[in-house]
């Protein structure tokens, strides 16, 4: 895992880069938050491919537990990916509602993540 550093004005944003799944459960999410925060970031981007596919099946409860960690530890997060491939009204509603808030967003590109997190 490496971190790409993006700066927009005075805001520093960490983009997590890896070929592996980094978040399989809430504990791994918390460890990632700690690792990124230790490097003086409070905003993070992670790619969909770095999160266990079960995250996007809301019945597992993984998404709620993982995202609650980000909220509790004041780490803004943008998840970058193509979310159209996940069927179901529940996940689409979840993404829609998350995107209305300030802490968690689901976006298709790094540029859109930077725009959302750079505010």
């Amino acid at each position: 895992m490496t971190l790409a550093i993006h700066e927009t004005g005075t805001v520093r944003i960490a983009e997590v880069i890896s070929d592996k799944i980094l978040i399989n459960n809430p504990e791994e999410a918390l460890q990632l938050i700690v690792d990124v925060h230790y490097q003086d970031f409070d905003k993070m981007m992670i790619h969909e491919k770095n999160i266990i596919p079960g995250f996007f099946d809301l019945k597992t409860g993984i998404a709620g537990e993982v995202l609650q960690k980000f909220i509790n530890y004041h780490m803004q997060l943008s998840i970058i990916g193509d979310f159209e491939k996940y069927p179901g009204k529940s996940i689409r509603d979840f993404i829609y509602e998350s995107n209305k808030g300030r802490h968690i967003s689901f976006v298709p590109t790094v540029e859109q993540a930077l725009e959302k997190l750079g505010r």
Side-chain angles (χ1 to χ4, degrees):
M1 177 187 89
T2 60
L3 296 180
I5 300 169
H6 299 274
E7 295 187 34
T8 60
T10 60
V11 178
R12 294 179 66 229
I13 303 163
E15 178 184 0
V16 178
I17 307 289
S18 178
D19 291 331
K20 300 177 182 177
I21 292 179
L22 300 174
I23 299 177
N24 287 290
N25 54 54
E27 293 75 27
E28 289 178 352
L30 180 57
Q31 186 59 54
L32 183 61
I33 292 166
V34 169
D35 292 346
V36 170
H37 185 73
Y38 179 75
Q39 296 183 52
D40 205 26
F41 292 96
D42 59 3
K43 297 182 181 205
M44 178 192 321
M45 295 184 278
I46 190 166
H47 296 266
E48 166 199 4
K49 69 179 183 178
N50 301 125
I51 303 171
I52 189 171
F55 174 96
F56 298 97
D57 178 359
L58 296 183
K59 289 182 236 161
T60 66
I62 296 171
E65 290 181 58
V66 165
L67 297 181
Q68 192 62 50
K69 297 283 185 207
F70 281 88
I71 292 167
N72 289 349
Y73 289 90
H74 306 286
M75 176 70 69
Q76 282 186 282
L77 174 69
S78 278
I79 300 173
I80 302 162
D82 174 17
F83 307 105
E84 294 296 318
K85 64 185 167 195
Y86 298 106
K89 184 177 179 342
S90 296
I91 188 67
R92 292 187 197 287
D93 289 349
F94 183 79
I95 290 171
Y96 176 79
E97 290 299 323
S98 295
N99 285 344
K100 286 173 44 177
R102 296 176 18 131
H103 292 287
I104 309 295
S105 60
F106 294 81
V107 296
T109 66
V110 169
E111 292 74 25
Q112 286 177 316
L114 288 171
E115 182 181 322
K116 181 78 173 175
L117 293 171
R119 297 180 194 160

